[in-house]
Amino acid sequence: MAIKHNPAHTITPILLTEEHTVASEIPVTADQEHTYQTEAQLEAEFIATLQGQAYDYLPLRTAEDLKNNLRTQLQKLNNYQLTDTEWERFYTTVVANPTASHTDKTQIIQREPIQPCTLDDGTIKNFKLIDRRDIHNNTLQVINQYVTDGGAASNRYDVTILVNGLPLVHVELKRRGVEIQEAFNQIRRYQKDSFWADTGLYDYIQIFVISNGTRTKYYSNTVRYKHVDSQRSQRRRRQASADSFEFTSWWATDNNKRISDLIPFAKTFFARHTLLNILTRYCVFTVDKDLLVMRPYQIVATEKILRKILIATNYKKQGTIDAGGYIWHTTGSGKTLTSFKTAQLAKDLDTVHKVIFVVDRKDLDYQTMKEYDAFQKGAANSNTSTKILKGQLEDPNAQIIITTIQKLDQFIKKNPGHPIFAEPIVLIFDECHRSQFGDMHTAITRNFKKYFMFGFTGTPIFDANAKSGGNVKLRTTQDAFGEKLHTYTIVDAIGDKNVLPFRVEYHNSVKLADKVDDAEVYSIATEAAMRSPERIKPIVRYILDHYDQKTKRNETYQLKDKRLEGFNSILATASIDAAKVYYNAFQTEQQQRLEEHGIEPLKVAIIYSAAPHNDDTDDFLAEESLNPSELDMGSFMFLQDAVSDYNQMFDRSFDLTGEGFDRYYKDVSKKMKNRELDLLIVVNMFLTGFDSKTVNTLWVDKNMKSHGLIQAFSRTNRILNSVKTYGNIVCFRNLETETDEALALFGNKDARATVLLKPYAEYLETYRENLEALQKGFSLDVLGSGGLGEQAQKKFVKLFGEVLKLRNILSAFDEFEADDTLAPRDVQDYQSHYLDIYRSMRERSENNPVDITEDLIFEIELIKQVSVGVDHILMLVEQYRRSNGTDEEVRSQITRAVDSSPTLHNKKDLIEDFLDKVSFDEDDVQGEWKKHVQEQSSAELNKIIEEEKLNPEPTRALIADAWLAGGVPTHGERIGRLMKATGSRFARPVNGESRAARKERLINRLQRFYERFSEIIS
């Protein structure tokens, strides 16, 4: 397939060959050896496999070797020999620029692979680092056991893939039987200790692969660096979606069969064309400077569409249903990223005039617009007016356009016979199960003569769940878009842990006859009974009574720059009238609880609008417009009053006039995603298309089935961290049959076992078995004696880790509080011992990188979620003060709370010192604590300045900025300016320590200082 080459583009497309990036089947390997295999033997087998695929093996071991090979390969790629001075200048100012961060280097590879090289005569020659257009011009080499001594610790890396001499892929191996998460953790240690060392070439790595021979996964450098950033500073985590092992990916065949063994993985993922395609085509470097590596099913879908365009062109099928198709990828699996990348690549095909990416107005959020504008300035502007859309369609430089269904419909109506209709246009519909059926679809197919039309959906419309009315020729997704091109179901996604399973519970608040459809039999009178205050009030009380439990509100985690308590939720109601009753009931009940018990109310909001057609069946969630003026007067006035409540709650000024409702909708969406709203009451809005990782619970009081049910349930199952392990569905109507039928339709007949959590009794039985083994083998008396050997410690860590994971699941079941036999005090004590072992082993690992307790995984995030904060400690200090220091039980409570908390351990001496000198006469514990913290932080910072011989004022200014910015800067020259002159980064070591190593050690020390005080300094 020929692709247009526009040198003005930052991202240059590559030629599409007949080689599929993702294999169609798992390759057959030789008979597997059954003898014990060491890590070294596994590594040798892996390298031999790569050599069999035309990788050149090089015995490189040092930084100088790496540099010299890089020069050779870049000169070969560019067919140009540099002089020594030209090479040194290019290397030190561009390739190994000491001020460039790992993000800067990722940007070079992904967006700016052609860099200017200044020649000796002063002229500039463009020098490629990687050929993105013709991937087979690139050279692939493999090295192993590369040693770096220039970092904070000496490290030896397993296997690295060099692309034109640059380390772009790194593989970390563990022997069979060792958990691969430890390989993930080891890469994190390398980043901290040495990837930046020497001349920083290992900061170019784009993709990491981890394997223990049996299980193999891959992930981008964003996952690795964000994990490290979150460890260095809990407040610097910019995005929750890419900071931990949960976001590593499996490789698979094009029909979603997982390829986990290392050797078949090497034969597929590391096939030359596959690896180079992934590096050059199937990565997305976002406007937030995050690198996303596409998953295999996303790559398959993209290539299926590109090939469909080629075939339709060759056979002159443009403008017919044979020039399209649909992608069925389950909700939450990354459809928007796939469609975004497809649009990027399709616009460069020489058979395509423009690509129009079509979304529903409600789904066109700020992030989507930013991504498209980053690729092509102004690409998303066409959603603002039909006039701008018309201008972009007529602009020859606007190759990709993002617009809304509504604006495209208006353009077609206002511009009959427009020349654009005769051009070959690719139309990509995101969430094609919605508005594209009916009049809009007919308008497109009648006017565009050479269209290629593709749709993405998580819940296709089949004959089994199609509406009975409407255009009989457009009943199903296949009728509208053509054949299904690729499938990735909810069963596939949950199996790969790309989305979470559901935990569904049923609370039948009204007894209905079996198999009776409310809409058909009970009519308006029955629905009125369902929304009666007598029925609604007990449901509202149940939600408020169990809200903290279901949303884990007593547990904490990190999101962006904030530490949050628990998740948030959506309440789905049957009608606007029902939503209004619920809203009033929450207002009344919460006000009563505040007045009588001092319970702070949840932040509750409501949003609804008129549906364009009165066709809201249980199967489909009718789409509500963004024009509230279509509401009846009573519903309009009620919503206006609710928006006024919202304005008062958040100091806003939204109204229901003009664009006011649209702004209200977007603000509600933003606050749900940031977990600033606790509960959102809806009818249909936000039940399709809305993605928020912080939503973990859906309260359901409406009949749903099929397509609508899966869409609504899927609002809760986005992966966030190890605390959020499933989506909570709490139904106040019996939807069990409907749930099973929907899972069978959109998964398979056995989907229930994968998609839904096991019954409570099964989890409880496993928990009790593990707890019995824990208490029998590791009683608190035994742990307190301190006599455990290393093997016993490892066994305890694994056993208590299982207990923690089971408690995390069981905590959402109403029955668990009564059934739990482990006392809260014992939980704290076990956590204290667990953390002591964790800290001891981590210190041992840091001091001796060879001894890394490789088979242990600590569930620290699960302890953080239940650990107490400083506010709770100060409350106990106040009790201790009131006893004039005589209540030793309170002091013991403080000690246990601190010992069992990962976040308070580094503040233990601060707290104990404060306890010793707290005044029994004063009545301002908070004020005394603030003064104590300020004095201690000032003294400790002065000590760092003196011992490290730093420039005092710049150091204090940097820390002051760190409190505001959420972390100590780790890149750039600011840290270097704190240090009194000791020569350049490449100067000879002073007292055995280079300037680079000293800088990294200083960063670590300032980070530890920051982490100690960051959550309490303000």
Side-chain angles (χ1 to χ4, degrees):
M1 181 184 294
I3 295 185
K4 293 180 292 188
H5 176 49
N6 185 348
H9 279 193
T10 304
I11 300 176
T12 306
I14 68 166
L15 297 171
L16 183 63
T17 70
E18 292 305 310
E19 297 173 296
H20 295 269
T21 301
V22 179
S24 60
E25 57 185 25
I26 301 175
V28 177
T29 58
D31 291 341
Q32 187 174 343
E33 289 284 342
H34 295 286
T35 57
Y36 178 83
Q37 186 180 43
T38 66
E39 183 180 319
Q41 290 170 331
L42 179 66
E43 181 177 302
E45 185 181 10
F46 173 60
I47 292 174
T49 302
L50 296 183
Q51 288 179 284
Q53 296 171 186
Y55 283 68
D56 294 326
Y57 173 75
L58 292 178
L60 301 185
R61 296 288 186 269
T62 68
E64 193 63 25
D65 292 341
L66 199 61
K67 179 181 176 182
N68 292 336
N69 179 65
L70 175 61
R71 177 180 180 178
T72 301
Q73 299 309 320
L74 289 182
Q75 289 178 159
K76 175 184 172 184
L77 176 66
N78 290 276
N79 193 26
Y80 189 88
Q81 297 296 310
L82 297 173
T83 67
D84 290 345
T85 55
E86 288 169 345
W87 165 247
E88 201 61 35
R89 183 166 48 243
F90 183 64
Y91 184 77
T92 56
T93 61
V94 177
V95 178
N97 188 330
T99 65
S101 67
H102 66 88
T103 303
D104 298 328
K105 293 170 182 176
T106 297
Q107 177 153 323
I108 287 174
I109 297 300
Q110 296 298 329
R111 293 186 180 174
E112 303 159 4
I114 301 176
Q115 289 288 313
C117 176
T118 305
L119 303 182
D120 289 341
D121 62 5
T123 60
I124 303 295
K125 177 175 177 55
N126 287 334
F127 233 63
K128 292 179 187 175
L129 299 187
I130 187 170
D131 192 331
R132 300 178 66 87
R133 177 174 172 76
D134 189 349
I135 60 170
H136 294 297
N137 285 338
N138 299 294
T139 299
L140 292 179
Q141 299 168 307
V142 55
I143 66 173
N144 69 323
Q145 300 303 309
Y146 176 85
V147 178
T148 176
D149 294 315
S154 176
N155 282 309
R156 184 187 298 271
Y157 309 142
D158 283 349
V159 180
T160 305
I161 308 302
L162 307 181
V163 181
N164 305 322
L166 280 172
L168 296 191
V169 182
H170 180 67
V171 184
E172 195 62 32
L173 301 174
K174 293 293 166 192
R175 59 177 169 80
R176 295 183 188 275
V178 173
E179 177 55 55
I180 63 169
Q181 188 171 343
E182 183 49 43
F184 180 95
N185 294 340
Q186 186 157 334
I187 287 173
R188 184 191 66 189
R189 289 190 286 272
Y190 288 159
Q191 191 279 332
K192 179 187 174 198
D193 291 341
S194 59
F195 275 151
W196 50 268
D198 301 326
T199 54
L201 290 183
Y202 267 74
D203 268 342
Y204 274 100
I205 291 174
Q206 305 291 285
I207 298 172
F208 291 91
V209 174
I210 52 178
S211 179
N212 62 1
T214 307
R215 293 159 61 85
T216 309
K217 303 188 80 174
Y218 70 100
Y219 57 98
S220 76
N221 62 19
T222 291
V223 173
R224 188 254 301 194
Y225 279 103
K226 286 202 169 180
H227 185 90
V228 172
D229 286 344
S230 72
Q231 297 293 321
R232 283 181 162 178
S233 169
Q234 289 296 329
R235 293 174 61 189
R236 292 192 67 210
R237 197 180 294 186
R238 295 181 292 145
Q239 182 176 327
S241 62
D243 61 357
S244 66
F245 181 75
E246 280 77 16
F247 294 93
T248 56
S249 298
W250 299 103
W251 191 244
T253 64
D254 63 5
N255 59 353
N256 308 318
K257 291 183 179 178
R258 185 184 299 171
I259 303 174
S260 57
D261 190 89
L262 178 61
I263 301 308
F265 183 95
K267 291 182 177 181
T268 52
F269 185 89
F270 281 103
R272 291 176 61 89
H273 71 281
T274 296
L275 183 65
L276 290 170
N277 272 346
I278 292 170
L279 287 168
T280 58
R281 306 189 86 197
Y282 299 120
C283 290
V284 175
F285 191 55
T286 72
V287 291
D288 291 328
K289 303 295 181 68
D290 296 335
L291 182 65
L292 309 178
V293 182
M294 294 176 73
R295 295 165 178 155
Y297 60 88
Q298 295 174 309
I299 296 172
V300 174
T302 300
E303 292 189 348
K304 291 273 190 181
I305 290 176
L306 296 177
R307 293 178 191 282
K308 187 73 171 181
I309 294 171
L310 172 63
I311 293 169
T313 301
N314 290 342
Y315 288 89
K316 302 189 185 310
K317 296 290 186 179
Q318 306 99 314
T320 73
I321 198 167
D322 292 327
Y326 73 94
I327 303 296
W328 173 14
H329 283 182
T330 192
T331 304
S333 63
K335 292 188 303 299
T336 300
L337 172 64
T338 311
S339 53
F340 170 78
K341 175 55 74 172
T342 302
Q344 278 189 349
L345 295 173
K347 67 122 179 84
D348 285 307
L349 300 177
D350 57 10
T351 58
V352 171
H353 181 66
K354 290 182 187 294
V355 176
I356 303 176
F357 186 78
V358 188
V359 299
D360 190 277
R361 176 170 53 190
K362 297 191 298 296
D363 301 333
L364 186 55
D365 61 15
Y366 180 60
Q367 184 67 23
T368 306
M369 294 175 65
K370 278 200 307 180
E371 295 299 344
Y372 272 91
D373 275 347
F375 180 76
Q376 178 182 296
K377 193 66 178 173
N381 289 347
S382 53
N383 78 90
T384 56
S385 75
T386 308
K387 181 180 178 181
I388 293 177
L389 173 58
K390 181 175 182 290
Q392 290 197 330
L393 289 170
E394 294 170 353
D395 181 358
N397 294 318
Q399 295 177 291
I400 185 168
I401 298 165
I402 179 171
T403 191
T404 64
I405 296 165
Q406 295 80 4
K407 290 294 185 291
L408 183 59
D409 190 32
Q410 292 173 21
F411 170 80
I412 292 172
K413 290 176 181 177
K414 292 179 180 180
N415 296 276
H418 193 282
I420 194 69
F421 296 143
E423 299 288 351
I425 301 294
V426 173
L427 292 139
I428 298 177
F429 286 83
D430 193 28
E431 297 294 353
C432 69
H433 58 265
R434 303 215 291 271
S435 294
Q436 295 76 266
F437 293 92
D439 296 341
M440 177 63 192
H441 182 277
T442 302
I444 290 174
T445 55
R446 282 182 178 173
N447 287 274
F448 286 92
K449 306 305 180 185
K450 295 183 178 180
Y451 65 80
F452 306 87
M453 190 157 60
F454 302 96
F456 285 78
T457 180
T459 47
I461 309 304
F462 303 115
D463 286 331
N465 64 318
K467 294 181 181 179
S468 56
N471 188 336
V472 295
K473 294 182 178 181
L474 293 175
R475 294 180 66 246
T476 69
T477 304
Q478 184 164 329
D479 290 341
F481 289 92
E483 66 174 322
K484 179 179 64 181
L485 299 178
H486 193 252
T487 301
Y488 187 75
T489 69
I490 189 170
V491 175
D492 296 322
I494 291 175
D496 289 342
K497 297 187 177 179
N498 288 329
V499 298
L500 300 172
F502 302 113
R503 187 226 159 195
V504 185
E505 59 183 272
Y506 303 98
H507 301 266
N508 294 337
S509 54
V510 171
K511 179 65 176 176
L512 299 176
D514 292 339
K515 299 294 181 183
V516 174
D517 189 319
D518 294 1
E520 294 179 1
V521 179
Y522 282 91
S523 71
I524 297 172
T526 300
E527 205 43 65
M530 296 292 280
R531 64 173 180 265
S532 67
E534 290 75 17
R535 174 179 176 272
I536 296 295
K537 284 180 181 178
I539 294 176
V540 168
R541 292 192 186 108
Y542 178 87
I543 292 174
L544 291 174
D545 289 343
H546 293 82
Y547 187 89
D548 288 358
Q549 173 201 4
K550 302 299 184 188
T551 63
K552 296 182 177 286
R553 191 47 62 97
N554 297 323
E555 301 163 1
T556 66
Y557 61 95
Q558 195 77 17
L559 180 71
K560 297 182 181 179
D561 61 345
K562 295 184 293 186
R563 191 149 192 93
L564 299 179
E565 295 177 348
F567 306 104
N568 53 357
S569 65
I570 296 173
L571 169 59
T573 64
S575 64
I576 290 175
D577 287 340
K580 288 151 59 177
V581 175
Y582 266 110
Y583 185 80
N584 282 336
F586 272 105
Q587 298 291 88
T588 302
E589 182 68 23
Q590 292 208 106
Q591 183 62 33
Q592 182 177 338
R593 293 182 180 216
L594 176 64
E595 293 173 355
E596 295 180 2
H597 307 290
I599 300 174
E600 282 296 316
L602 300 176
K603 289 183 170 63
V604 178
I606 184 173
I607 190 166
Y608 57 77
S609 190
H613 306 290
N614 187 24
D615 60 355
D616 186 5
T617 66
D618 298 346
D619 304 60
F620 294 89
L621 301 171
E623 298 202 28
E624 298 169 86
S625 74
L626 289 179
N627 183 7
S629 63
E630 298 173 3
L631 292 165
D632 65 79
M633 184 54 67
S635 297
F636 182 90
M637 296 303 295
F638 187 98
L639 184 60
Q640 189 165 272
D641 289 342
V643 172
S644 296
D645 293 342
Y646 183 92
N647 290 337
Q648 185 175 357
M649 187 162 43
F650 293 109
D651 192 23
R652 293 292 190 268
S653 57
F654 300 118
D655 56 42
L656 301 185
T657 61
E659 296 295 317
F661 185 75
D662 185 50
R663 292 189 294 112
Y664 173 62
Y665 178 97
K666 289 179 178 176
D667 198 71
V668 168
S669 175
K670 181 179 178 181
K671 284 185 167 43
M672 284 297 291
K673 291 181 179 184
N674 292 337
R675 217 238 61 195
E676 296 174 71
L677 265 176
D678 297 316
L679 177 68
L680 179 63
I681 302 172
V682 304
V683 181
N684 290 331
M685 279 185 174
F686 287 82
L687 296 183
T688 61
F690 173 68
D691 288 344
S692 171
K693 295 178 176 64
T694 67
V695 173
N696 87 319
T697 300
L698 178 72
W699 316 91
V700 182
D701 189 15
K702 68 183 294 164
N703 292 331
M704 294 188 295
K705 61 184 180 180
S706 184
H707 168 283
L709 182 145
I710 293 294
Q711 282 288 329
F713 282 19
S714 296
R715 297 317 103 205
T716 67
N717 73 339
R718 300 303 188 269
I719 289 176
L720 177 63
N721 52 26
S722 59
V723 180
K724 185 181 178 186
T725 52
Y726 50 83
N728 252 330
I729 312 296
V730 184
C731 298
F732 300 106
R733 302 189 183 198
N734 189 352
L735 302 179
E736 187 166 7
T737 299
E738 290 81 356
T739 298
D740 289 346
E741 290 174 350
L743 293 178
L745 181 64
F746 295 112
N748 56 47
K749 61 184 178 63
D750 300 317
R752 181 185 178 93
T754 301
V755 178
L756 303 183
L757 287 188
K758 294 182 293 186
Y760 168 74
E762 290 187 33
Y763 285 112
L764 183 63
E765 181 181 0
T766 306
Y767 172 72
R768 285 176 169 169
E769 289 173 357
N770 280 276
L771 189 58
E772 182 181 357
L774 178 73
Q775 293 172 327
K776 182 177 180 180
F778 302 98
S779 68
L780 289 172
D781 290 338
V782 169
L783 291 170
S785 68
L788 291 186
E790 182 175 321
Q791 292 305 313
Q793 288 181 346
K794 289 182 178 182
K795 186 176 179 182
F796 166 71
V797 166
K798 291 179 179 179
L799 188 55
F800 189 63
E802 289 302 311
V803 169
L804 286 172
K805 287 187 284 188
L806 287 164
R807 288 181 64 84
N808 184 49
I809 293 173
L810 286 164
S811 62
F813 288 88
D814 296 349
E815 310 95 302
F816 183 58
E817 185 175 357
D819 292 340
D820 187 13
T821 56
L822 188 60
R825 177 167 174 168
D826 291 346
V827 173
Q828 280 190 322
D829 289 343
Y830 271 115
Q831 286 182 182
S832 298
H833 293 298
Y834 187 80
L835 289 171
D836 283 344
I837 295 172
Y838 167 71
R839 284 186 284 265
S840 172
M841 290 189 172
R842 188 174 63 174
E843 288 171 5
R844 186 189 318 161
S845 168
E846 290 174 350
N847 294 331
N848 181 12
V850 177
D851 178 19
I852 55 171
T853 59
E854 61 182 14
D855 54 346
L856 286 185
I857 301 300
F858 287 88
E859 303 293 342
I860 300 303
E861 189 65 40
L862 296 180
I863 294 182
K864 285 181 181 177
Q865 63 162 321
V866 295
S867 65
V868 300
V870 171
D871 289 342
H872 178 75
I873 296 297
L874 293 182
M875 180 192 72
L876 294 175
V877 172
E878 175 63 25
Q879 293 180 23
Y880 184 68
R881 185 194 65 78
R882 289 174 182 166
S883 74
N884 289 320
T886 61
D887 194 334
E888 289 303 318
E889 175 54 30
V890 172
R891 180 140 190 169
S892 296
Q893 285 183 43
I894 295 172
T895 300
R896 284 196 300 274
V898 172
D899 286 343
S900 65
S901 168
T903 57
L904 292 181
H905 182 266
N906 63 355
K907 306 169 185 61
K908 183 174 181 178
D909 60 321
L910 279 176
I911 294 169
E912 290 183 341
D913 185 46
F914 179 61
L915 271 174
D916 289 337
K917 66 181 187 182
V918 67
S919 172
F920 300 127
D921 299 322
E922 298 291 332
D923 194 22
D924 184 15
V925 169
Q926 290 278 353
E928 288 187 70
W929 170 250
K930 183 176 180 180
K931 180 181 177 183
H932 174 67
V933 167
Q934 288 173 338
E935 289 174 351
Q936 287 297 116
S937 62
S938 178
E940 291 184 26
L941 183 58
N942 287 337
K943 183 179 180 182
I944 293 173
I945 291 171
E946 179 181 351
E947 292 180 352
E948 297 290 345
K949 297 181 173 55
L950 303 180
N951 294 310
E953 292 313 311
T955 304
R956 294 190 182 97
L958 181 140
I959 293 299
D961 290 344
W963 302 139
L964 299 174
V968 175
T970 59
H971 296 289
E973 287 299 295
R974 195 167 181 189
I975 293 289
R977 287 195 289 268
L978 303 185
M979 302 187 297
K980 295 176 181 177
T982 59
S984 72
R985 173 174 180 162
F986 306 109
R988 296 173 67 86
V990 177
N991 296 327
E993 183 180 46
S994 68
R995 178 176 171 83
R998 182 188 173 208
K999 179 179 176 181
E1000 182 66 14
R1001 182 174 54 77
L1002 177 59
I1003 288 173
N1004 289 334
R1005 188 169 183 184
L1006 290 175
Q1007 287 282 12
R1008 287 194 297 271
F1009 170 81
Y1010 172 83
E1011 290 167 6
R1012 177 169 160 86
F1013 291 103
S1014 62
E1015 295 182 10
I1016 57 176
I1017 199 68
S1018 59

